């Protein structure tokens, strides 16, 4: 079955530590996205990528980094510069990222907690 | 900039009641509009979408009509079930410019349906 997988489901971070969240898709989509969800709020875009080896900052990129070395994979690193990382992180993908009517498909999410 | 405003929740209904969740938007051009649903502990699933004015999206008994004159995309269902309990997000993708593929979300509305 085609879809998006995220791992781990839960992740614990210590102070000063970088952690990496995995996102893999087998939908053959060109575009991938990372969103952050906080309680009682909508989702906010962290980074997005429309093609391999290229990515763009979203609305809240500070303290985060990404890479896009393969079409299927778009890992997100939460760095120690992100002072409030506790949140639910959602990865999404879409066919091209260039259409104004395109549906984005979401993974099951990773919940990040700070120890 | 673009924005989406949803009615504040939580919304609590009895089974078989009529549901309306209001959504209004601000955007330049002609955005596409979406309703996503999030069940507890999961990622988002597309519920329905509409890509131009007067389009009606529908799925699983839910409907929403793209009203450009009132910049609204209200979600309705004639008879809710306990299994509809979830968080509902209204969202838009702006058409044009350099922001293709960037979803802008409302803050979400929690729906609880009691037997």
């Amino acid at each position: 079955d085609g879809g998006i997988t995220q791992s781990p489901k839960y992740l614990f971070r210590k102070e000063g530590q970088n952690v990496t969240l995995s996102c893999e898709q087998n939908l053959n989509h060109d575009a991938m996205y990372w969103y952050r969800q906080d309680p009682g709020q909508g989702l906010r875009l962290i980074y997005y990528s429309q093609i391999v080896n290229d990515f763009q900052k979203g609305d809240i990129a500070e303290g985060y980094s990404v890479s896009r070395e393969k079409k299927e994979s778009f890992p997100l690193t939460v760095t120690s510069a992100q002072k409030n990382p506790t949140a639910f992180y959602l990865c999404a993908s879409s066919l091209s990222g260039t259409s104004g009517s395109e549906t984005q498909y979401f993974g099951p999410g990773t919940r990040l907690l700070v120890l | 900039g673009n924005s989406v405003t949803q009615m504040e929740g939580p919304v609590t209904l009895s089974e078989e009641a009529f549901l309306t969740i209001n959504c209004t938007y601000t955007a330049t051009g002609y955005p596409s509009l979406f309703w996503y649903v999030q069940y507890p502990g999961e990622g988002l699933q597309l519920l329905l979408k509409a890509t131009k004015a007067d389009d009606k999206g529908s799925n699983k008994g839910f409907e929403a009509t793209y009203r450009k004159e009132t910049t609204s995309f209200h979600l309705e269902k004639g008879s809710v079930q306990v299994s509809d309990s979830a968080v509902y997000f209204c969202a838009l993708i702006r058409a044009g410019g350099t922001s293709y593929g960037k979803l802008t979300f409302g803050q979400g509305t929690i729906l609880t349906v009691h037997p």
Side-chain angles (χ1 to χ4, degrees), chain A residues 11-108:
Chain A
L11 186 57
F12 298 91
R13 193 192 91 163
K14 296 179 182 178
E15 293 288 338
Q17 186 181 41
N18 293 352
V19 292
T20 298
L21 285 62
S22 169
C23 177
E24 303 276 334
Q25 55 97 1
N26 61 4
L27 299 168
N28 200 32
H29 286 172
D30 283 322
M32 297 186 74
Y33 313 82
W34 274 106
Y35 293 90
R36 170 179 171 142
Q37 184 180 18
D38 293 284
Q41 298 187 32
L43 281 69
R44 294 179 289 169
L45 183 66
I46 304 172
Y47 269 98
Y48 66 103
S49 167
Q50 293 179 313
I51 197 169
V52 173
N53 292 323
D54 186 54
F55 47 83
Q56 306 295 327
K57 292 182 179 180
D59 300 319
I60 55 166
E62 186 174 350
Y64 300 97
S65 66
V66 294
S67 63
R68 187 85 187 277
E69 297 177 0
K70 297 187 299 181
K71 185 175 184 177
E72 313 79 54
S73 178
F74 191 41
L76 173 74
T77 296
V78 183
T79 74
S80 57
Q82 173 49 245
K83 297 307 179 188
N84 184 24
T86 297
F88 192 47
Y89 291 86
L90 288 156
C91 178
S93 72
S94 66
L95 192 59
S96 69
T98 59
S99 166
S101 63
E102 213 166 73
T103 297
Q104 291 184 20
Y105 297 88
F106 284 79

Side-chain angles (χ1 to χ4, degrees), chain B residues 3-114:
Chain B
S3 66
V4 176
T5 302
Q6 292 180 230
M7 67 183 285
E8 290 194 20
V11 174
T12 303
L13 296 173
S14 298
E15 206 165 24
E16 299 184 1
F18 184 85
L19 169 70
T20 299
I21 301 178
N22 290 339
C23 171
T24 57
Y25 68 89
T26 301
T28 55
Y30 301 91
S32 293
L33 302 173
F34 302 80
W35 277 101
Y36 280 88
V37 60
Q38 184 178 34
Y39 298 101
E42 298 184 8
L44 274 66
Q45 302 174 24
L46 177 68
L47 184 58
L48 52 85
K49 73 177 188 181
T51 59
K52 61 182 187 296
D54 299 325
D55 265 3
K56 177 186 282 188
S58 62
N59 185 28
K60 299 180 181 180
F62 291 90
E63 294 182 340
T65 301
Y66 189 163
R67 301 285 189 201
K68 187 161 179 63
E69 63 276 14
T70 55
T71 62
S72 65
F73 193 54
H74 305 321
L75 182 68
E76 297 182 337
K77 187 175 185 183
S79 176
V80 293
Q81 305 300 312
V82 172
S83 58
D84 293 327
S85 298
V87 183
Y88 292 81
F89 291 94
C90 185
L92 66 83
I93 290 180
R94 61 178 281 188
T98 59
S99 301
Y100 273 124
K102 291 177 64 176
L103 273 168
T104 298
F105 285 89
Q107 76 273 29
T109 301
I110 299 172
L111 171 65
T112 303
V113 181
H114 293 297

